[in-house]
Amino acid sequence: YDDQNQAQATTSVSYVDLANFERTPFFCKNLLAREQIYKPYIESAIGLLNEERHRYASGYFNATYTYDERYNAFASFRKDYADMFGLATEFRGKPLWSVGAGWNIHNESFLENSRQVNFLKLRVSYGVTGNIYQDATSFTTADFTLFNNRLSGSLDWFRKRGKDIFHTMRIDCTKGYESVVMNYADLLNNGFEASLSYDWFRPNEQRDFSWNSALTLTFVKNEITRVDEAATTPNALVAGGLKVGYPVHALFSLPYAGVEEVNGKGIPTWHKADGSTTNDYLKSSDMSVVVYSGSEDPKTNIGFSNTLRYKGVSLSFLLVYYGGHYLRALQPSGMPGLQYRAFPSYLKDSWTPEN
């Protein structure tokens, strides 16, 4: 690419001949030229460099009020304009706002002289946020510091409703594309977050020994409340289709009916809605037999970290747990020829002197 002439020339190299090389004769002999050099490093870089310009305009307002160091109120408001929305005027300049209130409980007279409670605050907020899509979020939060500032943490409960979420939607292929990313569905997220931190040992001086532990816990559940194009056949639903009332990454399964012998071969079969079995694709009338197996997204996330310091040397380690989600079992498949990559573990004992 010539930056001065703002032009790109590819005539000096025959990319057709380069793509047809099966093996490279230079620097890395016997490498598969097309698969290991041309495709990953050259083919993806061929083409004109696009230049895009966008215009943005924003205005915002924030206000906070505190009374007697005990009660807080806050509000925010903003409007954003951009040329990215095209003719969709309903997304231009949508007002985004939030309001909230806080209560410093530790400053109340009944806790003013408490030695155990150093800080305790309750916060509640509600607002409409977003960029290209809108969502409404409500938060209830409790922040605290206890036991001479050794134990600190926060507890959060949230409910987030998203509208016009981006997703890939199939369109009429006569328009020039098979699919397009567009505002497609509405979601509801409910969750709880907790974070705790405790100082087991505090240093009197910077080089003394210290030990801090931190625990984070998150529980999240999402549900589709609206979708423009829901799956209409069992196979489309199993392949990753969306369905109202279920999570975004829900796993759906077909009811397995065993193996049927056809022309000397074992063919898997499925139960149909009328009670019979088939080895063909299930139809729209069989949607009732599809089984919800769970969500691919973890419902529970836990992190536990520890940090130890002594004389300028620190040691940290982190433990992480994910739970409440489901995955498809690994299904064995054949390996055509020698592959230049790691092999699945189930192939370890496939080649023996007997076979």
Side-chain angles (χ1 to χ4, degrees):
Y1 177 75
D2 190 332
D3 186 61
Q4 293 184 346
N5 297 326
Q6 295 187 353
Q8 184 171 356
T10 58
T11 56
S12 58
V13 178
S14 175
Y15 287 101
V16 175
D17 293 338
L18 187 61
N20 288 330
F21 272 114
E22 291 188 4
R23 296 186 181 275
T24 172
F26 50 88
F27 66 89
C28 293
K29 293 184 178 181
N30 297 323
L31 279 181
L32 299 178
R34 180 174 178 80
E35 300 297 329
Q36 296 178 290
I37 297 179
Y38 180 79
K39 280 189 175 181
Y41 301 111
I42 300 178
E43 186 177 48
S44 60
I46 296 177
L48 298 178
L49 301 177
N50 296 324
E51 182 175 319
E52 294 185 4
R53 293 184 179 181
H54 296 285
R55 289 189 175 95
Y56 303 89
S58 300
Y60 57 90
F61 168 81
N62 295 317
T64 303
Y65 179 76
T66 301
Y67 174 74
D68 197 25
E69 296 185 350
R70 292 183 297 168
Y71 309 109
N72 309 104
F74 55 89
S76 67
F77 180 87
R78 69 177 295 162
K79 295 190 74 172
D80 297 278
Y81 293 88
D83 62 356
M84 300 173 60
F85 303 109
L87 299 178
T89 57
E90 66 271 20
F91 297 112
R92 295 180 184 173
K94 277 254 186 174
L96 308 177
W97 55 270
S98 65
V99 294
W103 179 23
N104 294 319
I105 307 175
H106 63 283
N107 286 335
E108 295 290 345
S109 58
F110 56 84
L111 285 179
E112 189 173 4
N113 298 319
S114 175
R115 295 183 178 180
Q116 288 75 28
V117 179
N118 307 111
F119 178 84
L120 180 60
K121 183 174 184 178
L122 181 64
R123 292 183 286 120
V124 178
S125 63
Y126 181 85
V128 175
T129 61
N131 39 40
I132 299 181
Y133 65 87
Q134 300 272 305
D135 55 39
T137 307
S138 59
F139 280 92
T140 301
T141 305
D143 302 315
F144 57 89
T145 303
L146 309 175
F147 310 129
N148 194 23
N149 297 313
R150 283 187 176 272
L151 176 64
S152 62
S154 64
L155 306 176
D156 295 89
W157 174 83
F158 63 89
R159 179 181 177 87
K160 186 174 184 179
R161 185 180 297 275
K163 299 180 64 178
D164 297 321
I165 303 298
F166 279 162
H167 196 274
T168 302
M169 181 178 180
R170 293 183 301 173
I171 61 175
D172 186 354
C173 61
T174 59
K175 296 182 179 180
Y177 302 92
E178 293 183 354
S179 62
V180 64
V181 177
M182 61 185 301
N183 303 96
Y184 183 78
D186 296 347
L187 291 178
L188 176 63
N189 288 274
N190 288 293
F192 172 79
E193 296 180 353
S195 62
L196 299 173
S197 177
Y198 191 80
D199 293 326
W200 300 99
F201 293 93
R202 286 179 172 177
N204 294 322
E205 297 181 0
Q206 187 176 2
R207 295 175 61 83
D208 289 347
F209 177 74
S210 66
W211 177 15
N212 172 268
S213 296
L215 176 70
T216 59
L217 170 65
T218 304
F219 177 83
V220 181
K221 180 181 179 182
N222 71 75
E223 177 184 337
I224 300 173
T225 57
R226 180 191 66 83
V227 62
D228 287 342
E229 186 183 18
T232 57
T233 65
N235 292 87
L237 191 58
V238 171
L242 303 179
K243 187 177 182 180
V244 174
Y246 291 89
V248 176
H249 297 123
L251 285 176
F252 293 95
S253 306
L254 299 178
Y256 184 59
V259 176
E260 181 183 76
E261 184 176 348
V262 178
N263 297 327
K265 296 182 178 180
I267 305 297
T269 60
W270 327 101
H271 289 290
K272 299 179 62 176
D274 59 7
S276 61
T277 61
T278 181
N279 56 26
D280 202 354
Y281 286 104
L282 296 179
K283 300 179 180 179
S284 299
S285 57
D286 299 312
M287 287 290 287
S288 60
V289 301
V290 179
V291 179
Y292 171 63
S293 301
S295 174
E296 291 182 301
D297 296 324
K299 291 184 179 180
T300 304
N301 300 270
I302 301 175
F304 180 63
S305 63
N306 284 268
T307 302
L308 297 89
R309 293 185 174 89
Y310 183 62
K311 291 186 177 181
V313 179
S314 64
L315 173 66
S316 301
F317 60 90
L318 173 66
L319 303 176
V320 179
Y321 168 82
Y322 301 100
H325 59 300
Y326 294 83
L327 301 174
R328 296 286 187 194
L330 181 63
Q331 299 183 7
S333 60
M335 298 289 291
L338 183 61
Q339 303 294 313
Y340 289 90
R341 57 186 177 87
F343 279 18
S345 59
Y346 58 76
L347 293 177
K348 183 177 62 174
D349 299 323
S350 298
W351 292 278
T352 65
E354 289 74 21
N355 61 11

